[in-house]
């Protein structure tokens, strides 16, 4: 519901009358739109929608995070008792479903926004969200649910601080767990809430999961290049005009422009094709021969594919800059922006998107499966939220690295102020740096996948203290 309310702010701000009601106004003396030369008069007050837009984005983030942290684990709960492999099938098709939504968003909504109106483009996802909420509410009686037992996060924070020696919480610097029976009972807990010893067991499990989660961060740094540097690279490659028409044939799409968001479709289309192949062919084939690797070992394989993807991007960038240095460029219009692109066709980017799509199959889907399977029973949502939280950390670190490399003195990513012009950058060096970071991560993850020992299935379903293996 929060997601839906926040999404409704977007079409309101795209509607002139809506902006009058939700946006403020800048004073006339602060506006820059003045007519004439020297002594001209300003055009009066202008609308100022930044507070409304940023408030909407914060609400969207709150809604998205609540859904992501709970929807995948909630969906897996619906099928976990229907067979041995149903959870694995669920996460395959869950991820496939999210990419169906991405195809619709990029292919249809982006085209409508760029060529028809932002109002119609924003109303489309609002309608979809409202329909999704309606279906979800209708299906509520059929869902497998469990009664709320209170938040485990506060208990985990308290145990962490106790393990760090916070005396005001009764903590010591002794190894946590030596005197778990001395933990005070949680008097305010709801019926069915974990006992103190169960809280301790959950804390110990999370302490084992956290290093694995942290090791996903460099992968996310590479993954989000698709929406940033891969995308920017594509804008500076030659894109065929799909809306061309000649004098003898009238094209019904005359006047429409190529939506730049379509450059992100390559990865999504790859996933739509590969997920069914993985679910129906690859996984059953490996399972019959008892060769199906664990989730962490699948993630190792996927990280090598992401390493290959960013290496391919670096090679394409070197080739693109060769064309630019030899004046083999062509002006092109993408959306409403002009680019001086290399004549190298954009199809050269297909391998890097294909490799990144394969990496998602073996990193993100097994990562979701790992987080769900290893999470304590009472902390499924929190653990899934932690998995997605690491993706945000990876994105921020990637942006921070770009900012660091964009410093004026010898910055590889230091580019002119001309929007979208990367012809004087050394973005290929940035790709190879990411490849080096990903290579170190792959080696670390190989060691971690060998040392990590999953909990037995009977312990995953219970609250008894598992015997932890020292790595």
């Amino acid at each position: 519901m929060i997601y839906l309310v926040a999404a409704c702010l977007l079409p309101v701000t795209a509607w002139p009358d809506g902006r009058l009601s939700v946006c403020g106004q800048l004073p006339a003396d602060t506006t820059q739109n003045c007519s004439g030369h020297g002594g001209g008069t300003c055009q009066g007050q202008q609308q100022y929608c930044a507070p409304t837009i940023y408030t909407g984005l914060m609400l969207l983030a709150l809604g998205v995070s609540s859904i992501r942290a709970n929807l995948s684990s909630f969906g897996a709960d619906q099928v976990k008792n229907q067979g041995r492999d149903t959870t694995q099938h669920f996460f395959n098709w869950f991820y496939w479903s999210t990419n169906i939504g991405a195809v619709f968003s990029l292919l249809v909504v982006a085209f409508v926004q760029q060529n028809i109106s932002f109002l119609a483009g924003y109303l489309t996802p609002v309608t979809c969200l409202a329909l999704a909420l309606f279906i979800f509410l209708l299906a509520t009686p059929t869902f497998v649910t469990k009664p709320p037992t209170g938040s485990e996060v506060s208990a985990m924070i308290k145990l962490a601080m106790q393990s760090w020696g916070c005396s005001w919480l009764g903590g010591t610097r002794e190894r946590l767990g030596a005197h778990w029976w001395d933990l005070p009972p949680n008097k305010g807990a709801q019926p069915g809430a974990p006992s103190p010893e169960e809280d301790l067991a959950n804390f110990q499990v999370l302490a084992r999961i956290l290093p694995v989660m942290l090791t996903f961060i460099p992968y996310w740094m590479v993954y989000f290049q698709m929406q940033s540097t891969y995308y920017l690279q594509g804008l500076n490659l030659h894109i065929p005009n799909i809306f061309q028409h000649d004098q003898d044939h009238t094209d019904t799409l005359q006047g429409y422009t190529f939506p730049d968001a379509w450059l992100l479709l390559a990865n999504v289309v790859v996933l739509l094709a590969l997920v069914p192949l993985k679910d129906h062919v690859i996984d059953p084939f490996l399972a019959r021969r008892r060769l199906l690797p664990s989730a962490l070992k699948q993630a190792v394989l996927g990280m090598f594919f992401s390493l290959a993807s960013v290496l391919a991007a670096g090679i394409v960038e070197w080739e693109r800059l060769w064309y630019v240095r030899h004046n083999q460029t062509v002006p092109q219009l993408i959306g409403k922006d002009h680019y001086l692109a290399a004549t190298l066709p954009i199809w050269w980017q297909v391998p890097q998107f294909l490799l990144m799509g394969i990496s998602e199959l073996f990193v993100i889907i097994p990562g979701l499966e790992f987080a769900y399977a290893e999470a304590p029973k009472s902390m499924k949502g929190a653990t899934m939220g932690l998995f997605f939280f690491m993706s945000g950390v990876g994105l921020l670190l990637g942006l921070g690295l770009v900012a660091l490399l964009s410093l004026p003195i010898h910055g590889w990513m230091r580019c002119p102020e001309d929007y979208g012009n990367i012809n004087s950058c050394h973005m290929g060096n940035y790709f190879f740096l990411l490849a080096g970071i990903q290579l170190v991560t792959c080696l670390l993850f190989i060691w971690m996948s060998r040392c990590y020992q999953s909990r037995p299935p009977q312990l995953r379903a219970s609250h008894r203290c598992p015997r932890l293996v020292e790595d």
Side-chain angles (χ1 to χ4, degrees):
M1 294 178 69
I2 293 174
Y3 200 172
L4 180 60
V5 170
C8 288
L9 284 176
L10 296 175
V12 170
T13 56
W15 179 38
D17 292 340
R19 285 196 294 271
L20 291 175
S21 59
V22 300
C23 296
Q25 288 185 334
L26 289 174
D29 56 356
T30 63
T31 59
Q32 300 297 322
N33 291 340
C34 297
S35 58
H37 298 280
T41 59
C42 289
Q43 296 178 353
Q45 292 185 331
Q46 290 185 341
Q47 293 174 348
Y48 181 64
C49 291
T52 303
I53 293 295
Y54 284 119
T55 300
L57 291 176
M58 290 295 293
L59 288 174
L60 278 173
L62 180 61
V64 169
S65 61
S66 301
I67 291 174
R68 284 195 173 188
N70 294 284
L71 184 60
S72 53
S73 59
F74 180 76
D77 284 345
Q78 310 305 307
V79 300
K80 67 179 181 180
N81 295 324
Q82 296 181 13
R84 180 180 176 183
D85 300 325
T86 52
T87 300
Q88 184 182 42
H89 290 306
F90 167 78
F91 282 113
N92 284 338
W93 291 106
F94 172 80
Y95 199 66
W96 187 85
S97 303
T98 61
N99 282 277
I100 283 286
V103 166
F104 179 77
S105 175
L106 294 172
L107 194 62
V108 178
V109 178
F111 181 84
V112 170
Q113 288 176 340
Q114 186 159 303
N115 291 286
I116 300 177
S117 75
F118 272 92
L119 177 59
Y122 283 141
L123 283 174
T124 304
V126 168
T127 304
C128 293
L129 276 172
L131 179 61
L133 178 60
F134 178 71
I135 295 173
F136 186 83
L137 293 176
L138 282 182
T140 298
T142 67
F143 290 143
V144 175
T145 59
K146 56 185 179 182
T149 57
S151 173
E152 281 284 276
V153 176
S154 57
M156 297 299 103
I157 293 175
K158 183 176 180 180
L159 287 171
M161 297 183 72
Q162 286 177 343
S163 68
W164 295 334
C166 294
S167 58
W168 57 279
L169 285 174
T172 66
R173 293 193 179 274
E174 299 177 10
R175 177 186 171 97
L176 196 79
H179 303 291
W180 60 263
W181 51 82
D182 293 332
L183 293 175
N186 188 358
K187 297 180 180 179
Q190 298 184 24
S195 63
E197 60 269 22
E198 292 166 350
D199 285 339
L200 178 58
N202 292 343
F203 176 77
Q204 292 172 325
V205 172
L206 286 180
R208 296 175 63 221
I209 294 175
L210 185 59
V212 179
M213 295 290 192
L214 290 172
T215 316
F216 277 97
I217 291 177
Y219 170 78
W220 292 114
M221 292 176 63
V222 175
Y223 173 80
F224 281 111
Q225 300 309 308
M226 287 191 301
Q227 287 113 32
S228 53
T229 53
Y230 284 16
Y231 169 76
L232 190 58
Q233 184 186 57
L235 293 175
N236 289 270
L237 294 170
H238 178 57
I239 302 173
N241 187 358
I242 62 171
F243 300 134
Q244 283 181 344
H245 60 282
D246 52 40
Q247 297 178 352
D248 300 327
H249 299 86
T250 302
D251 194 331
T252 57
L253 294 174
Q254 179 181 356
Y256 293 123
T257 58
F258 183 95
D260 50 2
W262 281 10
L263 297 179
L264 302 175
L265 274 171
N267 169 260
V268 182
V269 171
V270 166
L271 280 169
L272 291 182
L274 292 182
V275 168
L277 181 66
K278 177 180 183 292
D279 190 71
H280 290 300
V281 179
I282 298 176
D283 287 348
F285 175 81
L286 295 176
R288 284 194 299 268
R289 287 158 179 77
R290 297 182 180 180
L291 297 174
L292 188 63
S294 65
L296 292 186
K297 291 180 179 178
Q298 291 183 57
V300 171
L301 178 62
M303 287 184 180
F304 276 106
F305 277 108
S306 69
L307 169 62
S309 172
V310 77
L311 283 175
I315 294 171
V316 169
E317 184 61 17
W318 273 2
E319 190 72 12
R320 190 191 69 81
L321 289 178
W322 185 90
Y323 277 75
V324 171
R325 294 191 198 99
H326 290 78
N327 294 320
Q328 298 185 33
T329 57
V330 57
Q332 68 182 2
L333 176 69
I334 305 295
K336 296 181 180 179
D337 297 307
H338 294 270
Y339 299 89
L340 188 63
T343 55
L344 189 69
I346 196 172
W347 315 124
W348 276 62
Q349 278 195 312
V350 170
Q352 65 200 60
F353 280 103
L354 176 62
L355 290 166
M356 189 61 75
I358 297 173
S359 81
E360 289 183 65
L361 286 183
F362 295 105
V363 176
I364 299 181
I365 297 177
L368 290 170
E369 185 182 349
F370 168 82
Y372 176 80
E374 295 297 315
K377 184 178 179 181
S378 57
M379 296 193 66
K380 297 290 187 184
T383 308
M384 301 299 283
L386 181 64
F387 179 81
F388 288 112
F389 174 79
M390 294 305 170
S391 71
V393 174
L395 172 59
L396 288 177
L397 288 179
L399 293 174
L401 184 59
V402 169
L404 182 63
L405 296 177
S406 300
L407 295 176
I409 302 176
H410 305 300
W412 291 340
M413 301 293 289
R414 177 71 175 175
C415 299
E417 296 299 326
D418 184 16
Y419 173 76
N421 185 355
I422 58 172
N423 292 336
S424 62
C425 298
H426 299 279
M427 199 162 67
N429 294 343
Y430 173 64
F431 287 140
F432 292 126
L433 175 61
L434 286 176
I437 295 173
Q438 186 66 80
L439 177 60
V440 174
T441 306
C442 290
L443 298 177
L444 177 61
F445 219 87
I446 290 174
W447 173 80
M448 189 169 294
S449 64
R450 290 179 176 177
C451 295
Y452 188 89
Q453 182 172 339
S454 298
R455 291 183 298 156
Q458 63 271 22
L459 289 179
R460 295 178 190 172
S462 69
H463 283 301
R464 292 177 294 173
C465 298
R467 182 175 174 229
L468 300 180
V469 176
E470 294 293 335
D471 294 337

